[in-house]
Amino acid sequence: LAQGVQPIVAALLPPARSLLTLIKMPIAEPDVEVPEGDVKKGAKLFKAKCAQCHTIEKGGNAKQGPPLWGVMGRQSGAVDGFAYSEANKNSGITWSDKHMFVYLVDPKKYMPGTKMVFAGVKKEKERADLVAFMNAQG
């Protein structure tokens, strides 16, 4: 009987998908101070580090990643037509300065199961500049 159950379980829970991605586990807003950032420096950083995969202008299209116009205050995984990971859709995140500031350090660590392939931005000042720029975009 146990052998007969295994294919059923395997079909219900694909091995590549963690059980946690199937359960809605909200990521709490981090208790951090986000330093003041420079919007102009953030624009340059966005172009250098983010624009290969994301647009940020109003009405921008999805690329490898979703468009980021108006991302602050938006529910994670909510852009229609973009194929988000289950982890992203189920994160419970409403994007804020604090979430984005910590997420950008190491997206895969902050949101296990995300499809975002990005090493992260380790420098606090650069992350603050990116957050300031994103806040200025919608």
Side-chain angles (χ1 to χ4, degrees):
L1 182 64
Q3 287 179 335
V5 172
Q6 283 179 332
I8 296 168
V9 171
L12 293 175
L13 298 174
R17 188 177 293 167
S18 161
L19 182 57
L20 290 177
T21 65
L22 300 174
I23 301 169
K24 200 164 191 159
M25 298 288 292
I27 298 172
E29 186 169 72
D31 184 19
V32 296
E33 275 298 315
V34 179
E36 189 172 332
D38 182 302
V39 173
K40 286 184 180 181
K41 288 180 181 177
K44 288 179 185 174
L45 285 163
F46 188 92
K47 187 173 182 180
K49 296 181 180 280
C50 312
Q52 180 178 345
C53 297
H54 296 277
T55 58
I56 197 154
E57 68 277 356
K58 187 174 186 174
N61 294 323
K63 292 170 124 181
Q64 184 174 345
L68 296 178
W69 170 265
V71 67
M72 296 303 197
R74 184 168 74 205
Q75 187 71 31
S76 181
V79 172
D80 286 339
F82 187 79
Y84 289 97
S85 65
E86 290 299 313
N88 201 301
K89 290 189 283 189
N90 295 330
S91 69
I93 289 174
T94 297
W95 289 109
S96 65
D97 293 4
K98 292 178 179 189
H99 273 301
M100 191 63 74
F101 186 73
V102 178
Y103 176 78
L104 288 173
V105 173
D106 186 345
K108 287 192 174 292
K109 183 177 178 184
Y110 193 71
M111 188 184 293
T114 186
K115 291 181 186 177
M116 186 162 161
V117 181
F118 181 63
V121 179
K122 306 306 180 217
K123 294 180 181 176
E124 191 173 279
K125 178 67 174 125
E126 289 184 355
R127 291 195 321 273
D129 293 343
L130 281 167
V131 167
F133 175 67
M134 284 188 253
N135 269 319
Q137 308 308 305

